Amino acid sequence: MAAPWVDDPFAEAVRTGRGPLWLRHEDGHRVHLDIERWCAPAAGADHSLLRRCTRLGAPVLDLGCGPGRLVAALFTLGVDVLGVDVTRTAVARTVGLGGRAICRSVFDRLPAEGRWGAALLADGNLGIGGDPGALLRRGAELVAPEGLLLVEVETEEVDERAVVRVEGPGGQLGPSFPWARLGGSATLRLAGAAGLVEAERWTSCGRRFLALRKG
């Protein structure tokens, strides 16, 4: 059975480092996926995440690490970091950059659960599984009592659930799967239900982030 992000144009885009790539909704609406930025070295707003991770002085888990730019950058900075992704091509690319990564779902059993200093949900990964409430609860399980969940949210106040497919440059489509897009307010509402509270919010280079901690 075909699996999203694995048996679709995403894996090929990760291999080549090139798009274009989109998430196509059932009604034909498309959201651009910034695959070239994901495959490039960490830059711009990424550094705001990297600084917060290095300040913690604790291991970091990158949930949905993709091609591995954040894992590689944190490794270079001396941070103990592990990437998690369902796409073998993404895991291989991350390892090729010098980072550590495993091919696994974020909902599978993961190493050192409950002991990570921070877990990252960047680049729209709050949408993983189409149930951000469940994903935030999972993040809370993974981090240490004093740990942080660092989440990138949409720039607009959106609260969207959809069934989507990855579309490649020639119109190739992968299998359908549930996805979500949330702005800051919707994320904080679900975070509260997951036992998380806001520790910080910031904007950098047009991208928006929240730091959440256990309440």
Side-chain angles (χ1 to χ4, degrees):
M1 183 176 178
W5 307 110
V6 177
D7 303 306
D8 63 25
F10 176 73
E12 176 63 15
V14 168
R15 188 185 67 80
T16 63
R18 297 192 303 273
L21 209 62
W22 301 271
L23 284 183
R24 174 177 281 274
H25 292 234
E26 291 181 307
D27 64 3
H29 170 68
R30 299 192 304 182
V31 176
H32 179 251
L33 297 176
D34 202 357
I35 187 68
E36 287 88 356
R37 178 172 65 81
W38 299 346
C39 289
D46 293 336
H47 294 297
S48 70
L49 281 174
L50 301 177
R51 285 194 299 272
R52 284 161 175 81
C53 290
T54 55
R55 286 179 201 154
L56 292 170
V60 173
L61 189 63
D62 187 357
L63 301 174
C65 67
R69 77 183 189 288
L70 297 176
V71 173
L74 287 168
F75 177 78
T76 300
L77 293 169
V79 175
D80 184 6
V81 56
L82 176 68
V84 178
D85 205 282
V86 296
T87 308
R88 292 190 182 279
T89 306
V91 170
R93 187 176 180 123
T94 301
V95 172
L97 293 173
R100 288 194 305 135
I102 57 175
C103 190
R104 207 168 294 179
S105 165
V106 301
F107 294 103
D108 290 339
R109 185 70 182 174
L110 296 176
E113 293 198 9
R115 289 179 283 167
W116 295 95
L120 305 181
L121 284 168
D123 302 327
N125 283 338
L126 184 57
I128 289 173
D131 186 347
L135 186 57
L136 290 168
R137 290 192 296 273
R138 179 60 174 147
E141 292 174 350
L142 293 169
V143 298
E146 68 282 4
L148 292 175
L149 190 60
L150 301 176
V151 182
E152 183 171 357
V153 298
E154 298 296 326
T155 55
E156 67 269 26
E157 289 298 343
V158 63
D159 186 354
E160 175 184 282
R161 311 292 188 279
V163 174
V164 298
R165 303 170 78 180
V166 176
E167 179 179 348
Q172 310 96 315
L173 291 169
S176 60
F177 59 97
W179 196 250
R181 295 174 66 242
L182 270 70
S185 296
T187 301
L188 288 173
R189 184 177 67 253
L190 292 177
L196 297 163
V197 297
E198 180 183 345
E200 184 186 6
R201 68 175 69 187
W202 75 96
T203 299
S204 178
C205 301
R207 295 164 63 192
R208 293 184 179 178
F209 303 89
L210 294 171
L212 305 171
R213 60 174 174 80
K214 294 183 182 181

